Amino acid sequence: MKKIIPVNSKQELTAFIDFPHDLYKDDPNYVPELFIAQRDLLTKHPFHKHNVLQGFLVYEDDKITGRIAAILNNSHNEYNHANDGFFGFFDCINDQETAKMLFKVAADWLKGKGVTEKFIGPVNFSTNEACGLLIKGFDSPPVLMFTYNAPYYADLIENLGFSKQIDLIAWNWKGQAYDDKSVKLLDALQERLKRSNIIIRKVNLKNFKQETINLREVYNNAWDKNTGFVPLTDEEFDYLAKDLKLILDPDFCLIAEQEGKIVGFGIALPDYNEIFKTIKRGRLLPTGIFKLLFNKSKITGIRIYALGVIEGYRKMGIEACLYGTIIKEYKRKGYTTADAGWTLENNVMINKAIEAIKGNPYKTYRIYEKTI
């Protein structure tokens, strides 16, 4: 007998967070999210001050078989002049009836909140956070801040009438893929930018507060035309910056600047998923914290987390310079893999910049939609 319940109590929230650990316990590519990070994301993130989320769990004979979150993103609707609803945190056994129950209760909840247009996802909460359903590249674990799911999820979702809204592409480099030709291209681009008084510099951690204010403005301007984009509030960006600073390597946080004006930036992070993969059920205590502290030096890869250039400075080669400088630095520091993602499939300029320095499109994620 199946039943579905809303997630309201601390105990139910813990069960909601923990369900994927049980679902993927035999999957060698699964990486558990840190429990404390997921709990704070679902309860303390500034997103909740102006938007609404409701989680649901399906039980069958007292065993959880699926979860979903219905998300009313008022910021998205106001910015895009829409009346859409979203789903996220979707995980499910390979059972169409269970999936149907989850999406029905999420859709009904959104309709009760007045949503009348599209039902979109998966996003956790928006494209500013982890999003997209993995549809290509199941042969390796996800890198930091990427989603993961079994191949059958696509059938469960598409059988319920969802269709593709857009695909997101993840790129990678391995070993010596970034060759001498790419280095020469990077040097030539940097020289050309200098003639326009544009330089690439590292972030100043001693003045991180002011850097954050400037980067927030660039972030909200650089991505404003992207499908699904929602500007981050000051509080949301500060929350993100505070978290990133804990794991930030200034060698991988680059700023494109013209005579003191920031016109673009690129941030790469060590791939902490290599450590998280070893932390059972995402618990830092009692032993997970030691794995995190003592294994940082063993991380072999990086993830280019965000990279963008504001309007008026695109098509100048800044994007390729930011990507190229990060890739050149990752090799210098002894990393063996680098991941760039995601990029929108229709962002031709960025995708060409990555292809120019030998990026390999190795994973694809999909965002779905249907009329609610």
Side-chain angles (χ1 to χ4, degrees):
M1 181 71 178
K2 292 183 175 71
K3 65 176 181 179
I4 194 160
I5 66 164
V7 174
N8 293 321
S9 69
K10 288 184 178 180
Q11 183 180 10
E12 291 160 352
L13 179 63
T14 297
F16 185 90
I17 295 170
D18 282 347
F19 172 61
H21 307 329
D22 298 318
L23 184 65
Y24 291 106
K25 64 182 180 180
D26 298 321
D27 189 329
N29 289 322
Y30 172 68
V31 179
E33 297 279 3
L34 291 183
F35 177 81
I36 189 172
Q38 286 288 282
R39 184 196 64 195
D40 288 355
L41 181 67
L42 288 162
T43 59
K44 297 181 180 180
H45 193 285
F47 174 89
H48 301 287
K49 292 188 176 182
H50 42 87
N51 305 291
V52 191
L53 177 149
Q54 177 62 58
F56 297 94
L57 290 168
V58 170
Y59 281 84
E60 185 170 4
D61 298 328
D62 297 321
K63 182 179 179 181
I64 297 174
T65 57
R67 71 171 191 173
I68 200 169
I71 303 166
L72 179 61
N73 191 328
N74 293 310
S75 301
H76 162 90
N77 287 336
E78 290 170 10
Y79 183 75
N80 293 286
H81 307 291
N83 190 12
D84 301 328
F86 295 83
F87 71 89
F89 302 93
F90 169 67
D91 286 289
C92 186
I93 63 170
N94 192 3
D95 179 71
Q96 192 66 56
E97 183 183 355
T98 300
K100 184 178 181 180
M101 289 177 65
L102 287 166
F103 279 94
K104 183 180 186 306
V105 73
D108 287 346
W109 184 88
L110 289 166
K111 289 175 186 176
K113 296 292 184 183
V115 172
T116 59
E117 296 181 7
K118 294 179 181 178
F119 193 13
I120 303 168
V123 294
N124 303 343
F125 310 119
S126 70
T127 55
N128 292 315
E129 290 81 29
C131 61
L133 189 85
L134 182 65
I135 62 169
K136 172 196 167 187
F138 295 95
D139 56 345
S140 60
V143 296
L144 187 69
M145 299 180 187
F146 266 105
T147 61
Y148 181 73
N149 57 266
Y152 64 79
Y153 278 38
D155 287 337
L156 293 180
I157 291 173
E158 290 169 15
N159 288 342
L160 293 172
F162 285 87
S163 58
K164 169 184 165 181
Q165 182 188 74
I166 197 163
D167 282 352
L168 318 174
I169 304 171
W171 308 76
N172 74 352
W173 294 262
K174 290 186 177 180
Q176 302 301 311
Y178 188 60
D179 55 20
D180 291 340
K181 183 178 178 181
S182 299
V183 172
K184 290 179 181 178
L185 173 63
L186 174 62
D187 292 342
L189 284 172
Q190 287 178 324
E191 285 300 317
R192 190 172 74 181
L193 291 177
K194 285 180 182 178
R195 291 197 288 271
S196 298
N197 296 319
I198 296 172
I199 62 168
I200 306 294
R201 67 170 177 86
K202 296 176 183 178
V203 69
N204 183 357
L205 290 181
K206 292 181 179 179
N207 192 26
F208 191 70
K209 185 174 182 180
Q210 185 59 48
E211 295 273 53
T212 297
I213 293 171
N214 295 334
L215 290 175
R216 179 174 63 232
E217 294 177 6
V218 174
Y219 181 90
N220 282 337
N221 288 326
W223 280 270
D224 64 340
K225 300 293 192 300
N226 284 356
T227 302
F229 177 75
V230 183
L232 288 174
T233 66
D234 292 356
E235 193 173 0
E236 286 174 337
F237 195 89
D238 290 344
Y239 185 97
L240 173 63
K242 184 179 178 181
D243 279 354
L244 291 181
K245 191 178 181 183
L246 296 174
I247 59 175
L248 196 65
D249 180 339
D251 289 337
F252 291 129
C253 188
L254 304 175
I255 290 172
E257 190 174 72
Q258 184 185 53
E259 299 176 347
K261 175 186 177 181
I262 297 178
V263 299
F265 71 92
I267 297 175
L269 303 167
D271 182 17
Y272 275 82
N273 269 14
E274 294 179 26
I275 302 176
F276 296 161
K277 197 171 185 294
T278 69
I279 299 177
K280 189 174 182 180
R281 301 180 76 81
R283 286 348 191 241
L284 287 178
L285 298 175
T287 61
I289 187 67
F290 298 107
K291 292 180 179 179
L292 188 59
L293 292 173
F294 297 140
N295 291 323
K296 288 193 292 184
S297 62
K298 298 179 182 179
I299 294 175
T300 63
I302 63 167
R303 181 207 164 177
I304 301 175
Y305 167 69
L307 189 146
V309 175
I310 64 174
E311 190 74 46
Y313 289 86
R314 296 164 190 166
K315 299 183 180 180
M316 297 177 67
I318 297 174
E319 296 89 348
C321 273
L322 290 168
Y323 276 116
T325 304
I326 289 172
I327 299 305
K328 188 177 179 181
E329 188 68 15
Y330 109 90
K331 291 181 67 176
R332 184 187 71 80
K333 297 184 72 130
Y335 290 95
T336 58
T337 62
D339 185 287
W342 43 263
T343 66
L344 294 171
E345 63 176 339
N346 59 8
N347 193 336
V348 177
M349 185 166 53
I350 283 288
N351 293 337
K352 283 187 175 180
I354 297 174
E355 288 171 351
I357 55 172
K358 310 299 183 183
N360 170 46
Y362 80 117
K363 289 182 185 287
T364 304
Y365 298 80
R366 179 164 293 173
I367 293 178
Y368 288 90
E369 67 177 23
K370 68 179 290 188
T371 302
I372 201 163

